Amino acid sequence: MTTRLSLVIPAYNEADRLSAGLTQLLEGLPPDDTEILVVDDGSTDGTAAVARRQLAAWPQHSVLSLARNSGKGAAVRAGVVRARGDVIAFVDADMETDPRDLGALVQSLEDNDVAVGSRTLNASSVQDRSSHRAMMTRTFGIVVATLMHLPMSDTQCGFKAFKGSIAKLLFHGSRVDRYAFDVEVLNLAARLGLRTQEVPVRWSEVDGSHIRPFRDAVQMLADVARTRRTWRIQPPMQGLFLPDVPVEAATELIRPFTRSVDLTISWKEGTAVLFPCVPPTTARRISRRLLTSFQEYDPQVLSVEFDALFKPSATLDARGGRGGHPRSDDLT
């Protein structure tokens, strides 16, 4: 069964709101090629049980449970690691952003690598937002614009989509576990020269938000400051290097052997096939297996530090192993 779209839904103590949110989401999705992944972020109210009951009839679904509450960023990352779709998106469990806008979000990926839902565009519709949420969004936006110089006006809307291989790459390199993870991921995308597009959305506040304006704002600002300093070392990505093989030719060669979420990039004088978000031992095993399939190209097992992607020797013309993305008319 193909998976054209994976939707990651982070959820923390959402038992009271998740059922209605999933009902609203599933009404407009094609079930045959859409994967739903709910990540229970250490909830104590039966959120995982609600998700399993609601998704029981959905052909492709998973409910992942983190051992403890680790933060929205950690939950989304866990979902991205597990996701299999040509496109990987995440949405909030309360569906404050109208799921009917998924079509426009995915359509934006025809010409871009990352699509970002934005509540600040003129074409967006924002209703019933409380004064403290509005002030928190504006203040945080000013701080991000000042410190990070990101080319978008709303980094915190929980409604984003990525080409599958790009999602794996960016979340492999991300380390922020709580609300500012969006800023870190978008900062990595900007530093890698990836194409990012803001998309207007319809948004309305839903009662029961877990956001704590003062405490969460302080945590978010601290995470942004750490992100600006590249505060943690990301684990290396394992893969295979094909010397003197252009990326277009290499993409066709490896297509039968790799997934759409694997990454093919121009690397030095050849092509690197990388396996982001795959445990090192598993990735090395895959690479060794591929060695026998491409012996005539003198392949080499490769280990790439994430920071090396920022250097001129790496040209991030990223292509998935299979290619192909959901059409916008497949979504409501």
Side-chain angles (χ1 to χ4, degrees):
M1 182 179 292
T2 61
T3 304
R4 301 175 69 194
L5 173 65
S6 292
L7 279 175
V8 176
I9 305 169
Y12 173 61
N13 286 343
E14 291 286 358
D16 293 336
R17 302 193 297 176
L18 185 59
S19 182
L22 285 175
T23 298
Q24 183 183 4
L25 173 69
L26 299 182
E27 285 177 351
L29 291 175
D32 292 340
D33 54 10
T34 303
E35 177 185 40
I36 308 294
L37 302 104
V38 175
V39 184
D40 174 15
D41 184 21
S43 299
T44 58
D45 67 345
T47 289
V50 171
R52 291 189 183 96
R53 183 169 61 249
Q54 193 77 4
L55 294 172
W58 195 260
Q60 298 185 76
H61 76 273
S62 296
V63 178
L64 314 177
S65 294
L66 303 187
R68 60 182 178 83
N69 176 240
S70 301
K72 184 178 178 182
V76 172
R77 188 183 305 112
V80 170
V81 168
R82 183 78 170 265
R84 299 173 297 168
D86 297 327
V87 162
I88 299 174
F90 67 84
V91 298
D92 287 339
D94 53 22
M95 303 301 153
E96 287 185 320
T97 304
D98 195 323
R100 291 175 297 177
D101 292 330
L102 272 170
L105 197 73
V106 170
Q107 184 180 25
S108 178
L109 294 177
E110 293 179 1
D111 301 311
N112 299 283
D113 302 300
V114 182
V116 179
S118 175
R119 296 161 291 189
T120 62
L121 300 177
N122 290 335
S124 296
S125 172
V126 177
Q127 299 179 1
D128 304 322
R129 181 158 58 175
S130 61
S131 58
H132 72 265
R133 287 282 294 272
M135 179 172 293
M136 184 177 176
T137 299
R138 284 196 300 269
T139 302
F140 190 70
I142 292 171
V143 171
V144 170
T146 302
L147 294 179
M148 308 300 296
H149 307 292
L150 292 175
M152 67 271 309
S153 54
D154 183 5
T155 60
Q156 297 312 111
C157 182
F159 198 72
K160 295 179 176 68
F162 312 79
K163 291 179 179 176
S165 57
I166 295 299
K168 297 281 188 177
L169 172 68
L170 295 176
F171 281 89
H172 183 104
S174 73
R175 287 293 170 270
V176 173
D177 286 339
R178 298 200 176 270
Y179 286 114
F181 80 97
D182 304 73
V183 175
E184 181 187 34
V185 167
L186 294 174
N187 180 53
L188 291 176
R191 292 182 63 190
L192 292 168
L194 297 173
R195 299 179 299 274
T196 302
Q197 176 68 45
E198 286 189 286
V199 177
V201 297
R202 289 164 286 185
W203 188 95
S204 58
E205 188 165 341
V206 176
D207 290 339
S209 171
H210 298 297
I211 291 178
R212 302 157 297 185
F214 179 75
R215 181 175 174 179
D216 289 338
V218 171
Q219 179 67 58
M220 290 164 72
L221 293 175
D223 285 344
V224 169
R226 294 187 186 106
T227 296
R228 193 164 182 258
R229 296 198 302 267
T230 312
W231 61 296
R232 294 188 192 175
I233 299 174
Q234 298 89 348
M237 287 176 287
Q238 308 299 320
L240 194 72
F241 176 56
L242 299 176
D244 302 320
V245 180
V247 67
E248 293 85 358
T251 300
E252 292 302 316
L253 283 171
I254 60 96
R255 191 183 301 273
F257 302 92
T258 56
R259 308 164 301 167
S260 63
V261 292
D262 298 325
L263 191 69
T264 307
I265 66 172
S266 298
W267 181 259
K268 300 182 179 179
E269 299 301 323
T271 295
V273 183
L274 301 176
F275 308 108
C277 285
V278 174
T281 53
T282 302
R284 284 194 291 268
R285 186 168 63 249
I286 296 171
S287 297
R288 286 195 295 267
R289 187 171 69 243
L290 291 177
L291 284 175
T292 60
S293 300
F294 301 109
Q295 286 182 354
E296 62 187 286
Y297 299 98
D298 191 26
Q300 304 163 24
V301 173
L302 192 66
S303 180
V304 177
E305 298 289 341
F306 194 90
D307 288 352
L309 298 178
F310 302 128
K311 298 176 182 178
S313 59
T315 303
L316 199 66
D317 180 15
R319 302 153 192 263
R322 283 201 312 267
H325 305 288
R327 300 187 304 273
S328 60
D329 55 6
D330 288 332
L331 304 171
T332 301

